[in-house]
Amino acid sequence: MSCGAPECVLVVEDDPPLRATCVEVLEGAGYRVASAAHAREALEVLQGEVVDLVVTDLMMPGLRGEELLAQVRAAFPEIPVIAVTAFGSIEGAVALTRAGAADYLAKPFRTPALLASVARVLDESRPRREEARARRERGAHLAGVIGRSRPMVRLFERMGRIARSRSPVLVTGETGTGKELIALGLHRAGGGGAFVAVNCGAIPEHLVESELFGHAAGAFTGADRDKAGLVEAADGGTLFLDEVAELPPGLQAKLLRFLESGEFRRVGEVATRRVGARLVAATHRDLPRRVRDGQFREDLFFRIDVLHLHVPALRDRPTDIPLLAEHFLARFAEREGRGEMRFSPAALSALVAHPWPGNVRELRNVVERTAVLSERAEVRPDDLPPEVATAGRRSDVVRAAAERSLTLAELEREYTLEVLRRCGGNRSRAAEELGVPRRTLYRRLEEYGLISRDDPS
């Protein structure tokens, strides 16, 4: 179970009856509750949802509660943790407190003790959590981006921290994730000036230098007058270099000089000019790999990667898909004069199940097409493009699992192995289809006893 609103408690307990009891008690007290059977599942919940408090058992198989506590403290410092163990002692309580636990409960504990601890810890941590929430809301407002999932929350929080800095920022992410919106949000927080966007991959190579830095009359054939470049147009504002990895090698050196000194020369001029513009660069390429391959200057990479923002792929934040889809549908229905439109539950399920290789841009285009072509106020799966509508059929797997009373862990195992079989045992392809990193697939196969820890592949 997941939750995304304030005062959300994540219960981590491997004993099903005790976990169910804790969930029931906390929900009865008015809290929103998420639950996990083990620490790894808890980390997945934390990656995908906004949680305000973790209540975790310490004695669990696999990743122990102490390790979960350490990882929560490192990755989500605003989230307090209440540790629960059957082995209570003063020494143990002191050790857990030093490790970062906000409170300590010894089994067996009574309902009033649990509720009192949860209420106190939430109350004490509220200022810290509200400060973090304010940072992410400021980042979300700046970017004009919709998202409540944990990956987006962390992005918004980081934006809120660096928004007013003048240091260079590198924005990475797949095509269609909204990198330019993030750059524009950072510019809006900067307090003025022009926002000048340059697509480095769309300008012919022989014209890139002139476009960026300008040229003097007579500098080359066709240069019949002086022309200021885009760098000068961004003076006092933000220069956004989209697809920066596509810059030709010669221009990389000139850009580095400009970033280090603020100075440049127009093509065909001797005089040095100076401007003050904040640089935000973006790319969907693997820049460290391009550095290793000799395609991108290492010194330039370090210069533009002072601050880093990564925009997650849409498949990594599925809880945001319904929010985005409904937002786009309302916008396009109004534009088309269609009146109020909505998605049926089955249509939303199909949208969530689709892998969205084109990310938010693809989702926007699909919803726009649907708003124009659908003849009904309620959008159903057959109103969606075939490749999206068929994704919803994966829910048949879920229905079959429910009929067999499989646990979530059993369902995950069966589906993982089915995808692996369908991919002919190719783990890289299977990981791509499952939408998880290869190391995550290897960990699952290791837990299933199908590979050993030292498996070289």
Side-chain angles (χ1 to χ4, degrees):
M1 179 183 178
S2 65
C3 57
E7 308 299 310
C8 175
V9 182
L10 170 60
V11 175
V12 191
E13 172 60 62
D14 64 324
D15 179 13
L18 180 55
R19 184 171 68 249
T21 298
C22 290
V23 170
E24 182 179 359
V25 167
L26 290 168
E27 286 183 337
Y31 299 107
R32 295 179 178 269
V33 185
S35 63
H38 49 78
R40 293 195 185 280
E41 184 182 352
L43 289 172
E44 291 176 2
V45 172
L46 288 166
Q47 288 291 340
E49 304 290 346
V50 179
V51 172
D52 295 283
L53 169 65
V54 176
V55 179
T56 181
D57 189 12
L58 295 184
M59 303 301 294
M60 294 184 294
L63 187 68
R64 292 168 59 87
E66 292 95 334
E67 295 170 298
L68 174 62
L69 170 60
Q71 293 200 29
V72 172
R73 296 297 299 159
F76 312 102
E78 77 279 6
I79 302 178
V81 178
I82 297 175
V84 179
T85 182
F87 305 100
S89 68
I90 294 176
E91 293 80 5
V94 171
L96 285 168
T97 302
R98 286 176 176 171
D103 202 2
Y104 171 87
L105 290 173
K107 294 179 181 178
F109 55 83
R110 296 183 178 276
T111 295
L114 172 64
L115 292 176
S117 177
V118 167
R120 181 181 63 79
V121 171
L122 281 172
D123 186 60
E124 291 176 351
S125 65
R126 193 167 291 118
R128 186 171 68 249
R129 289 182 290 111
E130 288 179 349
E131 180 182 353
R133 185 174 296 114
R135 284 198 304 269
R136 66 176 174 256
E137 288 177 353
R138 180 166 175 253
H141 173 71
L142 291 173
V145 175
I146 295 172
R148 296 178 187 168
S149 62
R150 170 57 67 177
M152 293 304 292
V153 164
R154 297 182 74 179
L155 173 64
F156 295 152
E157 288 176 347
R158 189 164 177 79
M159 282 187 66
R161 291 190 187 100
I162 72 175
R164 293 193 177 277
S165 170
R166 300 297 294 174
S167 297
V169 181
L170 178 63
V171 184
T172 58
E174 296 179 6
T175 299
T177 51
K179 297 186 290 296
E180 184 167 351
L181 283 176
I182 299 300
L184 185 56
L186 293 174
H187 166 72
R188 288 170 178 159
F195 178 80
V196 179
V198 184
N199 187 328
C200 299
I203 305 173
E205 184 172 342
H206 67 284
L207 294 178
V208 175
E209 183 176 4
S210 172
E211 286 295 311
L212 280 179
F213 298 115
H215 62 255
F220 51 84
T221 302
D224 55 357
R225 58 186 175 83
D226 291 348
K227 178 186 175 183
L230 296 172
V231 166
E232 289 179 75
D235 191 16
T238 300
L239 177 65
F240 174 55
L241 297 183
D242 198 8
E243 302 301 344
V244 69
E246 312 307 321
L247 274 177
L251 258 294
Q252 293 178 26
K254 290 181 171 62
L255 177 61
L256 177 63
R257 180 176 182 274
F258 167 67
L259 291 177
E260 290 180 337
S261 66
E263 297 178 346
F264 68 97
R265 292 188 180 95
R266 290 181 179 178
V267 177
E269 279 191 350
V270 176
T272 297
R273 299 173 182 266
R274 173 180 287 274
V275 301
R278 181 186 191 180
L279 178 82
V280 180
T283 183
H284 71 281
R285 303 284 191 185
D286 184 343
L287 270 186
R289 174 175 291 181
R290 292 178 80 87
V291 169
R292 291 193 298 271
D293 293 343
Q295 297 175 307
F296 199 83
R297 292 180 63 110
E298 184 177 44
D299 46 6
L300 178 58
F301 170 66
F302 290 138
R303 192 69 189 89
I304 65 176
D305 196 30
V306 176
L307 299 171
H308 194 133
L309 293 173
H310 180 74
V311 187
L314 192 54
R315 63 179 174 276
D316 294 331
R317 50 183 187 115
T319 54
D320 289 334
I321 292 174
L323 296 173
L324 288 162
E326 289 166 351
H327 168 76
F328 290 141
L329 185 63
R331 179 200 297 180
F332 293 127
E334 181 179 6
R335 188 194 70 184
E336 298 296 319
R338 295 293 308 277
E340 184 177 350
M341 296 183 71
R342 62 187 180 277
F343 287 103
S344 70
L348 282 177
S349 295
L351 292 172
V352 172
H354 186 62
W356 298 110
N359 291 293
V360 178
R361 183 181 296 137
E362 180 188 3
L363 174 62
R364 180 185 183 277
N365 292 343
V366 165
V367 175
E368 181 175 11
R369 186 186 319 159
T370 301
V372 172
L373 298 178
S374 175
E375 297 178 352
R376 297 180 285 245
E378 182 180 72
V379 176
R380 299 174 188 172
D382 57 355
D383 294 315
L384 301 171
E387 67 274 14
V388 178
T390 54
R393 295 173 188 170
R394 297 177 189 175
S395 60
D396 294 342
V397 177
V398 178
R399 284 193 290 271
E403 291 170 1
R404 294 167 56 195
S405 299
L406 295 184
T407 65
L408 284 174
E410 290 168 338
L411 173 60
E412 179 186 89
R413 184 182 191 277
E414 288 211 357
Y415 186 64
T416 298
L417 297 181
E418 171 59 29
V419 170
L420 190 63
R421 282 192 292 270
R422 191 163 64 241
C423 293
N426 186 310
R427 296 174 191 170
S428 296
R429 280 173 43 206
E432 184 177 353
E433 183 166 335
L434 288 165
V436 299
R438 284 196 303 174
R439 63 180 180 275
T440 300
L441 177 59
Y442 292 165
R443 173 178 59 75
R444 291 181 184 175
L445 295 177
E446 182 184 328
E447 291 174 351
Y448 303 156
L450 297 178
I451 62 173
S452 62
R453 184 177 295 275
D454 56 355
D455 189 324
S457 59

